[in-house]
Amino acid sequence: MASTSIISGGASTPRQSYRVDQGRTIWIRQGRSGSPEDVLLANFSARVIEEIHVEDGRGTQVYFRVEAVLDGEARVVCLSAAQFRDMRWVEEYLGAGAIVESGYGFRDHLRAAFLHFSGDRRITSEYRHVGWREIDGQAVYLTASGGIGADGARPDVHVVPPPALHHLILPCSESEEAARAAVLASLELRQLGPARLLHPLLATVRRSILGDADFSAALIGKSGEFKTAVAVVMQQHFGSGFNERQVPGSAESTANALEESLHQAKDMLFVIDDIAPQANSDAARAQH
């Protein structure tokens, strides 16, 4: 599966050199006499219950969902791989009651112990962008409600888009008749206005899912001429939750913010609203 797998083993392998005793983490090391001896590392135990691989379109970041047990009470915290590695999260998330014993390399051994105890962790892929993605050799279109592949919905694909794209929810048609009706309903939008206006807009909707585009369409006119209303109807091809107050982009955002949003909103129509005349030429130039 693309989003979740199970890794088993680890905690009971012959190489195991750590154990939990009455809630405490113990390192079993070879003593000077050659016989094993117990070394107390901490008065609590922990294990990774989920390893999350976050894909944002640029690369992969790894996070750990860690279950720590202190005085019989379990707490679950989410840590970046770097946070888990440096072990400073113990005091921050568990408080002063969690005691890591003093000793050379003890924190390194404690981290290793927690990883030994994590053999049955889940491994999950989480996508932070929408649009096309190849998963298990199949082209999948990512939406806020999961993925859509050639065989229909992929609920196993976990997508966490930015808030501006939470309305990107596309129903999967269960029949050819329903799909045909949806296409015809879209084409009926040609009745909203003249062909010179509606045909390019409907073409833009369809072009957006075909990969990178180096152009944009602009609706220009006086206030009250329904520019936003028409743009929202086009945007609703990508989710009925979009409306006049809920479009993905705003001209009041910074250029960097819009660039980041457009990166996350790949392969979809992205309406940017509220471009209005500015008080002076410098402000107008900055907005454009």
Side-chain angles (χ1 to χ4, degrees):
M1 303 291 280
S3 67
T4 304
S5 59
I6 297 293
I7 302 296
S8 60
S12 59
T13 61
R15 291 178 296 175
Q16 172 73 9
S17 56
Y18 308 96
R19 64 186 176 91
V20 177
D21 181 22
Q22 297 181 353
R24 304 174 304 166
T25 301
I26 305 296
W27 169 29
I28 307 171
R29 71 179 178 187
Q30 187 175 15
R32 293 181 178 179
S33 64
S35 58
E37 63 180 20
D38 289 353
V39 178
L40 176 64
L41 293 177
N43 67 337
F44 64 96
S45 65
R47 65 189 182 99
V48 178
I49 58 176
E50 186 176 15
E51 181 179 323
I52 306 169
H53 294 231
V54 176
E55 305 274 356
D56 63 2
R58 296 189 184 94
T60 303
Q61 293 179 307
V62 178
Y63 294 85
F64 296 145
R65 199 176 303 278
V66 177
E67 180 187 65
V69 180
L70 174 64
D71 296 331
E73 179 183 350
R75 308 178 193 180
V76 177
V77 299
C78 190
L79 309 168
S80 68
Q83 285 178 305
F84 182 82
R85 184 169 55 249
D86 67 23
M87 291 298 294
R88 296 178 184 175
W89 59 271
V90 173
E91 294 82 1
E92 180 178 354
Y93 289 98
L94 302 184
I99 300 173
V100 178
E101 297 297 328
S102 175
Y104 179 75
F106 274 26
R107 284 185 179 261
D108 289 335
H109 278 289
L110 190 60
R111 182 182 66 249
F114 295 162
L115 291 174
H116 273 284
F117 303 152
S118 306
D120 59 349
R121 70 192 182 281
R122 295 188 303 274
I123 297 183
T124 302
S125 292
E126 181 177 289
Y127 300 93
R128 296 286 176 88
H129 66 87
V130 300
W132 292 111
R133 183 83 186 212
E134 183 174 317
I135 300 175
D136 296 342
Q138 181 187 48
V140 177
Y141 191 87
L142 304 179
T143 74
S145 55
I148 302 174
D151 299 323
R154 289 282 302 266
D156 60 303
V157 177
H158 190 209
V159 184
V160 183
L165 303 180
H166 281 177
H167 296 296
L168 176 53
I169 298 175
L170 302 179
C172 286
S173 175
E174 297 296 332
S175 68
E176 188 174 320
E177 292 76 13
R180 185 180 297 111
V183 172
L184 292 175
S186 173
L187 293 175
E188 283 297 310
L189 294 175
R190 292 176 296 177
Q191 307 301 319
L192 284 176
R196 62 182 175 80
L197 173 66
L198 271 301
H199 287 191
L201 289 178
L202 288 168
T204 300
V205 170
R206 287 149 176 79
R207 173 63 180 83
S208 65
I209 64 171
L210 299 180
D212 293 345
D214 58 358
F215 63 89
S216 299
L219 287 172
I220 301 172
K222 297 178 181 178
S223 178
E225 292 187 342
F226 304 105
K227 301 183 298 299
T228 297
V230 172
V232 165
V233 170
M234 300 302 151
Q235 185 68 72
Q236 286 177 333
H237 283 78
F238 294 87
S240 60
F242 291 110
N243 56 50
E244 289 84 352
R245 295 172 299 280
Q246 299 284 341
V247 294
S250 170
E252 296 178 354
S253 300
T254 66
N256 287 340
L258 282 173
E259 185 176 6
E260 177 70 16
S261 296
L262 286 165
H263 169 77
Q264 297 166 329
K266 61 191 293 288
D267 308 317
M268 66 171 285
L269 188 69
F270 189 95
V271 171
I272 301 174
D273 199 14
D274 293 330
I275 294 182
Q278 298 297 300
N280 58 67
S281 58
D282 289 341
R285 190 179 305 110
Q287 186 181 68
H288 284 299

